Amino acid sequence: MDYQWYPGHMTKARRRMQENLKLVDLIIELTDARCVLSGRNPDIDALAGQKNRILILTKADLADEKATAAWTEYFREKGIIAAAMDTRRSGGMKQIRQKIQLACADKIRRDRERGIKNRPVRAMVVGIPNVGKSTFINSLAGKASMKTGNRPGVTRGEQWIRPDRTLELLDTPGILWPKFEDQTVGLRLSLTGTIRDELLNREEMAQDLIHFLQKQYPDALERRYGIRREKDASSDSPDASRMLAEIADIRGVLGPGGTADTSRAADLLIDDFRSGKLGRISLEFPQTETAE
């Protein structure tokens, strides 16, 4: 399956982002903790230039804790200010505010030297669709001031919000890039809900997820569905279609004549992954990724 999605409004959103960069002191980039590098739009690097940056790993409560810790260390070693957080809870917002002050320390110092007091830091919040930008802003502001959703493309226009006198935030629409050179990136973004489901073959996605789980989290399917890991030493590739049918049988997801409805089983498996019911799972790890 070819994983691509680049609707026309994203070209306009990219252009508007470029125009608004002159208005801000800081870029806060959000990426999903489950697919940290795959979830970073390379166009943002090109647009950002020398702007101050902070990287937030969202949905960390759904990701493998060890992988997330390794990612934050990976970025620290590269001199990038990064923090992992669950955007549905406000407990980590004090840490984020501290990192904003750290990233803009030179700007704040220059303002003071010029006699400018109480000028708020203006930050643009950017990222791919469905990464949690509006939810992040709501948590930082301490109130539900923006429309949020669990599907890509909810935010279509820019919105400014001022959580307090020290900070102003510009929410922007999620944008992808025109072509995924590596289809593994497309798969990861599809599994985490970045690409609209109606554009995808979810049964193929589910089979790809089964292959990944059997390799990286071999106990996940057994814990959730009672499916034991295949022990056929002659093959490194599990029979994903058979295992999907087994999930359908175990969960009573059946079609006419009592046959396994693998399409509905695929929906069940993907939804269980996205909601964390399969456990805390990361789709990529710094020790195995070579992309910068």
Side-chain angles (χ1 to χ4, degrees):
M1 178 168 53
D2 186 30
Y3 294 97
Q4 298 291 341
W5 184 48
Y6 192 72
H9 75 270
M10 290 189 183
T11 300
K12 180 180 178 181
R14 184 186 187 281
R15 186 168 57 249
R16 287 288 298 156
M17 182 184 297
Q18 188 170 18
E19 293 170 354
N20 286 328
L21 278 171
K22 62 182 179 292
L23 305 176
V24 302
D25 309 298
L26 173 70
I27 294 176
I28 301 176
E29 180 186 357
L30 274 57
T31 187
D32 194 309
R34 294 168 295 178
C35 55
V36 176
L37 289 188
S38 294
R40 299 189 69 193
N41 185 339
D43 287 347
I44 291 175
D45 281 332
L47 291 172
Q50 299 302 310
K51 288 286 184 181
N52 295 319
R53 303 275 290 277
I54 291 178
L55 182 65
I56 307 296
L57 279 59
T58 65
K59 307 182 184 181
D61 57 304
L62 299 175
D64 185 321
E65 290 177 283
K66 291 182 179 179
T68 301
W71 278 117
T72 54
E73 177 63 15
Y74 169 90
F75 289 111
R76 187 193 68 78
E77 291 177 352
K78 291 182 173 295
I80 298 174
I81 298 175
M85 61 173 297
D86 172 4
T87 48
R88 298 175 302 176
R89 297 183 175 88
S90 59
M93 290 302 163
K94 182 177 180 180
Q95 176 194 16
I96 300 303
R97 288 179 177 274
Q98 291 172 346
K99 290 186 180 294
I100 289 172
Q101 295 296 309
L102 176 62
C104 293
D106 288 344
K107 175 263 177 192
I108 295 170
R109 176 183 52 78
R110 288 194 300 269
D111 281 352
R112 289 173 178 169
E113 290 174 351
R114 296 169 184 168
I116 302 173
K117 298 180 179 180
N118 300 324
R119 180 177 177 272
V121 171
R122 305 192 89 192
M124 179 186 290
V125 182
V126 301
I128 63 176
N130 203 32
V131 76
K133 293 183 299 297
S134 296
T135 302
F136 166 77
I137 291 177
N138 289 342
S139 298
L140 194 60
K143 57 184 178 181
S145 54
M146 295 208 172
K147 182 179 181 181
T148 63
N150 60 356
R151 58 178 310 200
V154 169
T155 302
R156 285 298 185 93
E158 300 88 354
Q159 304 178 71
W160 280 100
I161 185 170
R162 188 169 184 172
D164 56 47
R165 63 182 180 82
T166 68
L167 182 64
E168 292 182 354
L169 300 170
L170 176 62
D171 188 28
T172 61
I175 58 171
L176 292 169
W177 53 107
K179 183 174 179 59
F180 304 140
E181 298 298 334
D182 181 355
Q183 283 298 294
T184 301
V185 170
L187 171 62
R188 292 166 180 167
L189 298 185
S190 299
L191 286 171
T192 51
T194 295
I195 300 174
R196 290 188 181 276
D197 283 333
E198 53 264 35
L199 303 176
L200 302 167
N201 183 324
R202 281 168 63 95
E203 195 162 341
E204 286 187 30
M205 283 171 58
Q207 291 184 20
D208 287 338
L209 177 58
I210 288 172
H211 281 280
F212 172 81
L213 292 173
Q214 289 292 88
K215 182 177 180 181
Q216 297 292 344
Y217 298 92
D219 297 327
L221 295 178
E222 182 174 359
R223 286 197 310 266
R224 181 63 179 166
Y225 307 114
I227 297 176
R228 293 190 177 183
R229 182 185 183 188
E230 291 192 342
K231 301 184 182 300
D232 181 3
S234 65
S235 175
D236 293 329
S237 179
D239 185 347
S241 59
R242 182 195 60 76
M243 297 180 76
L244 202 55
E246 192 172 345
I247 291 173
D249 287 335
I250 290 172
R251 288 306 173 93
V253 182
L254 306 176
T259 59
D261 189 335
T262 53
S263 177
R264 288 170 58 201
D267 291 341
L268 175 65
L269 175 63
I270 293 169
D271 291 345
D272 280 353
F273 163 72
R274 290 176 178 173
S275 64
K277 292 178 182 177
L278 294 180
R280 299 181 67 155
I281 293 170
S282 292
L283 297 175
E284 59 187 20
F285 316 90
Q287 61 268 31
T288 57
E289 299 296 324
T290 59
E292 294 296 325

